[in-house]
Amino acid sequence: WPMAEPTNPFFARALVNRTWGHLMGRGLVDPIDDMRETNPPSNPELLDALAQDFIKSKFDVKHIIRTICNSRTYQLSAEPNEFNKHDKQNHARYYARRMIAEVLHDAVDK
C-alpha cells in the first residue's frame, strides 16, 4: 500500500495514536510504536473513529490535533477525585508531566 492512502489500514491508526500520545502523554496503544495485533488499544472504537476522521479530512494533521484538543478528555482537570486518583490507564484525568529540558530552559531564559 502507498503510505497515505485511505486504503492503508495502518497509517491513519498509527499517526492518530502517535498524535494522541503526544497530546495526552500516553497513546491509545501503549507503547506508541507497538501497534501489533496482540497489543490492543485501550479504546479501539475511539482509535478507529479518530482514524476514520483523519482519513476523511485527507490526512490533515491540524484537523486531528484540533479534534483531540476540543475533546472532553483533553480538557479534563489534572486534579484527581475519589474515582480517578489511582487511574493511569483510562485517560480519566490529565496527568501532569515534567517539561523537557529544552522547553524549561527556553521558559526561564528570556
Side-chain angles (χ1 to χ4, degrees), residues 67-84:
T67 300
I68 294 170
C69 289
N70 284 327
S71 72
R72 180 182 167 278
T73 303
Y74 183 81
Q75 296 177 19
L76 287 172
S77 171
E79 286 292 317
N81 61 38
E82 64 180 289
F83 302 108
N84 67 13

Side-chain angles (χ1 to χ4, degrees), residues 1-52:
W1 288 294
M3 192 175 333
E5 285 290 321
T7 57
N8 182 342
F10 308 108
F11 179 72
R13 286 173 53 97
L15 202 68
V16 164
N17 186 59
R18 182 169 290 280
T19 304
W20 181 277
H22 177 74
L23 294 170
M24 303 295 276
R26 184 172 185 275
L28 292 166
V29 175
D30 190 53
I32 288 176
D33 294 327
D34 191 4
M35 298 288 290
R36 62 190 152 85
E37 198 65 33
T38 55
N39 185 30
S42 59
N43 190 330
E45 295 84 8
L46 176 59
L47 182 60
D48 290 340
L50 287 171
Q52 287 306 310

